[in-house]
Amino acid sequence: MFKRIMVPTDGSEQAQKAEDIAIELAEKLGARVVAVHIMDEKLIYPFEVLEEEGKSILAKVQEKGKKRGVQVDEILIYGNPIHDMKKIAERSKADLIIMGHGKSGFEKFLMGSVAESTLKNVKIPVLIVK
């Protein structure tokens, strides 16, 4: 069924729920997890700070995978989460995306919705975790 489950993560509570579901499903299906963190180019932090934070977030997903015996591949890139998700899904050969969604109202209006954009642009199934 699914062999490569992509889970975009920013380390938020909603993303951590998606990570847990992705790892649990991967364990049951004998699939791999592709953990993705996009260092948002719109943020005005030094690159080194964003990179260190991204590595830390991905290391936590890696640890969750090890505990469950699930292979976790990591992708850490600098870009735009709204525009780059389709390209990352294609290049990673993911056949399912599991992602958190937590923004609403004015925050969603200001920042856009990564989950909404992903739903509109990718051609593979997407599971949204609330």
Side-chain angles (χ1 to χ4, degrees):
M1 180 181 261
F2 299 115
K3 297 295 179 196
R4 295 180 67 83
I5 302 170
M6 185 173 119
V7 61
T9 182
D10 60 4
S12 67
E13 184 179 329
Q14 293 83 9
Q16 289 178 36
K17 288 178 187 177
E19 295 165 12
D20 294 341
I21 291 169
I23 289 169
E24 183 178 342
L25 185 60
E27 179 184 27
K28 290 178 180 179
L29 297 176
R32 303 172 83 104
V33 168
V34 180
V36 175
H37 180 79
I38 301 173
M39 298 176 288
D40 194 336
E41 64 191 11
K42 293 178 292 194
L43 298 177
I44 54 172
Y45 295 102
F47 180 82
E48 294 78 16
V49 172
L50 295 173
E51 183 180 38
E52 191 60 39
E53 178 185 46
K55 286 179 179 180
S56 174
I57 290 168
L58 292 175
K60 290 175 185 172
V61 181
Q62 188 70 246
E63 186 59 35
K64 288 180 185 182
K66 283 182 184 176
K67 288 180 181 176
R68 303 288 294 258
V70 172
Q71 173 70 40
V72 176
D73 301 325
E74 299 176 16
I75 297 176
L76 176 63
I77 68 162
Y78 183 75
N80 184 317
I82 290 177
H83 298 112
D84 292 338
M85 207 61 70
K86 179 181 177 185
K87 179 174 34 176
I88 295 166
E90 290 169 354
R91 289 187 180 168
S92 69
K93 298 186 178 15
D95 47 20
L96 172 66
I97 298 174
I98 299 178
M99 63 190 307
H101 177 57
K103 292 182 176 71
S104 62
F106 190 63
E107 184 179 25
K108 179 180 171 183
F109 173 74
L110 284 177
M111 301 185 73
S113 171
V114 176
E116 185 177 344
S117 174
T118 301
L119 282 170
K120 288 179 181 177
N121 293 309
V122 301
K123 294 181 178 12
I124 60 174
V126 178
L127 173 63
I128 304 293
V129 177
K130 288 175 58 174

